[in-house]
Amino acid sequence: MHDVERLLRDELRRRSQLPPPSAAAVVTAVHGLRRRRRITGVAAVCAVAVLATVAGTVATLRPTAGSAPPAFPPPPPGTVSMLAEPEVHFADADHGFALAQACPADVCQLYLAQTVDGGASWQPRPVPGATFPSGRRGSLATLRVLGATTVALDTFESPTRRFTTDGGRTWTEQPVQPRGTVPEIPEGGLAEVRSEPGKPIGIVVLLPDGTSSTLATPPVTRPLTSMWSNVLRADDGSDWVYGGDDTRTWLWVSRDRGRTWREVPLPGDAALPGNGQGPEIAHGRIVYVVESYPKRRVWRSVDDGAHWADLGRDLPPDPGGDIGLGAVVAFDGTLFVFGPPLPVTVYRAMPSEDRLGRVGDVPPWQRVGARYLQGSGPKGTEQPFRLSADGLTWTELRL
């Protein structure tokens, strides 16, 4: 009755300047006005519902055209969990992302989990159309974090990538195939090596708008044959490309966002084909290269390869010659090397030290942008996983 009384007062006020009608006439007019408004409101709601249905149908038929928020209810507490092989990355000390899943039945839904407080809490959001059979292992998507709120998800089979600029609230789809060239790797962009048989390597740049272009000036190399390669961005903004052909292993650096490249000479056996395992970059000037075969050796350079220091003289030999070494560079430039036997033995060299020293037996850990990630078990690959800002204090990664 409150709306009738309000409308009655409005109608009386409007008619106060007119000849006074009967009270019955005024009440009749007010009820008529209320009825017209109710009919109009119902019609508007119906129109919105029809438009939403049509839009949903079009979005289903043309998933690349829409950027509407996904129509998924929030997941029940405790139903979203990390993938068995975690994909985690922090754009800065506070903002990070992780891929997760919810599997209420035989089909799982992929989620993008976002944190804005350094991993203390996470907000999982479903990725539209990203479902997969329960029990599937291996990479479901490649998590590529371009900024505090911007993420691209690439899958092996799809010609398009899912792209969000608001932490997974809304999504668009962009073509994976690069279009045109760019003169440099822009701020907020990511670069990766693309290799074709019999051809020199190329570099594809993921741009801040989610599209891709080819870098106009990649390093001039022989065809990549002996190892996997990628573009590594150092803390000072320099870019590094490490790989090899059938004659040698090579390392290139660019200090102008990929406009020009300079080859960095590698030391000792690290320059032989297939012998390198690295590099590990800290601050762009401290470069570590790890050898696992035929010798177990670690090299460090602070002048872009003009001089190298051999830090690995105390590493025990590997009789079988087939057990690799893992390595990670801390935020302060300290190198940690993880090697067998299990549990993993840890060796450390601070920037001021000239050799590796053994520091303990712990599961290995890795850098994931602005945080460290460590798993459980002797190999550090099992749940639960933990996060750290300093490599000393760890908290469990809970979604």
Side-chain angles (χ1 to χ4, degrees):
M1 291 298 295
H2 295 294
D3 58 341
V4 176
E5 293 170 357
R6 178 176 54 78
L7 292 173
L8 178 60
R9 287 195 299 270
D10 294 343
E11 188 71 3
L12 288 173
R13 189 178 303 112
R14 187 180 67 83
R15 296 193 178 201
S16 62
Q17 303 300 322
L18 300 176
S22 67
V26 173
V27 172
T28 301
V30 169
H31 279 285
L33 178 61
R34 185 190 181 202
R35 180 174 180 270
R36 288 195 301 273
R37 290 190 177 182
R38 185 169 64 249
I39 293 174
T40 302
V42 172
V45 171
C46 292
V48 170
V50 171
L51 289 175
T53 302
V54 173
T57 303
V58 172
T60 301
L61 295 176
R62 292 192 306 160
T64 61
S67 61
F72 292 93
T79 61
V80 179
S81 61
M82 290 282 296
L83 299 182
E85 299 178 6
E87 287 265 3
V88 182
H89 191 85
F90 278 77
D92 54 44
D94 296 320
H95 299 85
F97 295 91
L99 292 185
Q101 63 183 358
C103 304
D106 294 335
V107 177
C108 299
Q109 169 67 51
L110 184 67
Y111 282 79
L112 178 69
Q114 181 187 31
T115 180
V116 297
D117 54 16
S121 62
W122 295 81
Q123 174 62 53
R125 299 184 177 97
V127 180
T131 59
F132 54 94
S134 176
R136 174 179 170 179
R137 298 185 63 87
S139 178
L140 303 173
T142 300
L143 175 67
R144 309 185 70 187
V145 177
L146 287 79
T149 60
T150 304
V151 171
L153 295 181
D154 289 4
T155 55
F156 179 74
E157 304 89 353
S158 176
T160 60
R161 67 169 52 96
R162 293 176 175 87
F163 184 70
T164 178
T165 59
D166 55 12
R169 293 175 179 84
T170 60
W171 295 84
T172 59
E173 292 199 8
Q174 301 290 353
V176 172
Q177 188 68 23
R179 298 177 179 178
T181 61
V182 290
E184 65 178 23
I185 305 168
E187 184 69 30
L190 295 176
E192 65 177 355
V193 169
R194 294 285 178 90
S195 177
E196 297 183 40
K199 295 183 180 181
I201 66 169
I203 293 179
V204 175
V205 181
L206 174 58
L207 301 173
D209 64 357
T211 62
S212 293
S213 294
T214 302
L215 185 66
T217 53
V220 180
T221 69
R222 291 168 58 92
L224 181 71
T225 58
S226 63
M227 68 181 66
W228 172 87
S229 178
N230 214 343
V231 181
L232 305 176
R233 169 61 58 88
D235 297 341
D236 68 345
S238 57
D239 295 285
W240 300 74
V241 174
Y242 186 74
D245 53 49
D246 54 1
T247 64
R248 63 190 179 96
T249 297
W250 32 255
L251 175 64
W252 297 77
V253 61
S254 173
R255 299 194 176 276
D256 54 8
R257 294 191 170 276
R259 289 180 176 270
T260 60
W261 297 86
R262 186 173 68 82
E263 187 169 6
V264 176
L266 292 174
D269 293 337
L272 298 178
N275 277 7
Q277 181 181 317
E280 305 292 337
I281 311 294
H283 313 300
R285 291 294 179 184
I286 306 176
V287 182
Y288 298 96
V289 172
V290 179
E291 284 185 69
S292 294
Y293 178 82
K295 301 175 182 178
R296 293 157 64 87
R297 186 178 291 179
V298 178
W299 303 88
R300 180 177 63 203
S301 175
V302 295
D303 53 13
D304 286 357
H307 303 87
W308 291 91
D310 182 358
L311 306 181
R313 286 166 287 177
D314 295 330
L315 287 175
D318 172 22
D322 57 357
I323 301 178
L325 298 173
V328 63
V329 178
F331 300 130
D332 64 354
T334 298
L335 175 72
F336 292 88
V337 176
F338 307 101
L342 299 177
V344 173
T345 303
V346 182
Y347 301 86
R348 181 188 66 190
M350 300 178 68
S352 59
E353 297 173 340
D354 61 358
R355 65 175 56 197
L356 289 166
R358 181 169 175 171
V359 293
D361 299 333
V362 297
W365 41 280
Q366 59 181 304
R367 279 180 64 168
V368 285
R371 283 285 184 269
Y372 303 121
L373 179 70
Q374 182 185 63
S376 300
K379 297 182 179 180
T381 58
E382 302 173 11
Q383 301 278 2
F385 285 87
R386 295 176 287 271
L387 290 170
S388 176
D390 56 11
L392 301 173
T393 304
W394 297 85
T395 58
E396 186 174 341
L397 199 169
R398 291 193 177 190
L399 302 181

